[in-house]
Amino acid sequence: RTNKMKIYNIDNLREFIGNNIEKIKEIKITSVKDVDYHPMVGFTYLANVKLTLNSGRYKMYKAMFNSTYLEDEHETARDYVKDYLINL
């Protein structure tokens, strides 16, 4: 039996967080990795996000996005994810 985690589009994960923000105590970006490169969309990144709930339990999510989301050339992928998901 494999335990594969579903991968979300970053916009969908942001919407999920926004809709459940009252249940979430902390949002932490545990890692961001570049997983692919395509000439049309640039780098593809995979972010691991930990949501700690008010109950003390936590859930891990994976979010996919590409470098076209980055605001400027100096913004790192980690900075983008942190700003986009934590600073709602």
Side-chain angles (χ1 to χ4, degrees), residues 39-77:
M40 297 295 284
V41 296
F43 288 98
T44 300
Y45 296 98
L46 185 63
N48 291 321
V49 181
K50 179 180 179 181
L51 302 181
T52 303
L53 306 177
N54 293 330
S55 67
R57 296 179 62 211
Y58 68 89
K59 294 186 177 188
M60 298 293 296
Y61 293 90
K62 289 186 181 284
M64 184 84 67
F65 64 101
N66 62 49
S67 58
T68 59
Y69 281 77
L70 303 182
E71 297 287 323
D72 61 53
E73 66 220 33
H74 303 294
E75 184 178 41
T76 67

Side-chain angles (χ1 to χ4, degrees), residues 8-21:
Y8 293 85
N9 175 287
I10 197 157
D11 295 325
N12 294 345
L13 183 57
R14 184 175 199 255
E15 182 179 353
F16 173 80
I17 290 170
N19 291 337
N20 294 283
I21 197 70

